[in-house]
Amino acid sequence: MEFKHLCLVRFKEGVVVEDIIQELSKLAAELDMIKFFGWGKDVLNQDALTQGFTHVFSLCFDSAEDLAAYMGHEKHGAFAATFMAALDKVIVMDFPFVVAKPAPKPEA
């Protein structure tokens, strides 16, 4: 079963978000236990719903053990210190990902 590490964030004023994204992309490329990394920025700006959170980051792992290995990895620890210092607010969730509707298979 696939496991997700999901972060909803609101960056501090003045943070160069592109630098943070570049560093996280580099980290994801370096660590083989990360199966997938993606991110996005809110486009609707509905503060009543987003509570000021602007970005989401998602990492996927093949197993809970891979997620645990990532969380304990020294490179994650080093990045996390920089990442957390750039944030005004964060919500982090780690969970097994249950597919309710699979993506359609591409036509041949």
Side-chain angles (χ1 to χ4, degrees):
M1 175 172 279
E2 185 175 273
F3 282 76
K4 296 267 189 186
H5 177 68
L6 188 72
C7 301
L8 296 171
V9 303
R10 179 172 60 208
F11 288 100
K12 290 179 180 174
E13 197 69 35
V15 169
V16 180
V17 176
E18 293 77 18
D19 290 349
I20 300 294
I21 293 169
Q22 184 177 18
E23 287 301 311
L24 186 50
S25 296
K26 179 180 170 188
L27 176 68
E30 291 175 355
L31 299 179
D32 290 336
M33 75 278 285
I34 299 172
K35 178 178 167 183
F36 168 86
F37 163 66
W39 67 274
K41 182 178 179 185
D42 180 60
V43 295
L44 297 180
N45 299 315
Q46 297 176 327
D47 282 343
L49 297 175
T50 64
Q51 299 177 32
F53 290 94
T54 58
H55 291 75
V56 62
F57 298 92
S58 177
L59 291 95
C60 299
F61 302 87
D62 282 329
S63 66
E65 293 79 16
D66 285 349
L67 171 59
Y70 167 73
M71 296 303 287
H73 198 284
E74 65 184 63
K75 287 184 178 183
H76 171 260
F79 173 76
T82 301
F83 187 63
M84 295 303 287
L87 303 180
D88 182 43
K89 194 171 182 181
V90 63
I91 295 174
V92 177
M93 294 187 72
D94 299 296
F95 54 95
F97 190 70
V98 178
V99 176
K101 179 180 178 182
K105 295 185 186 214
E107 294 183 29

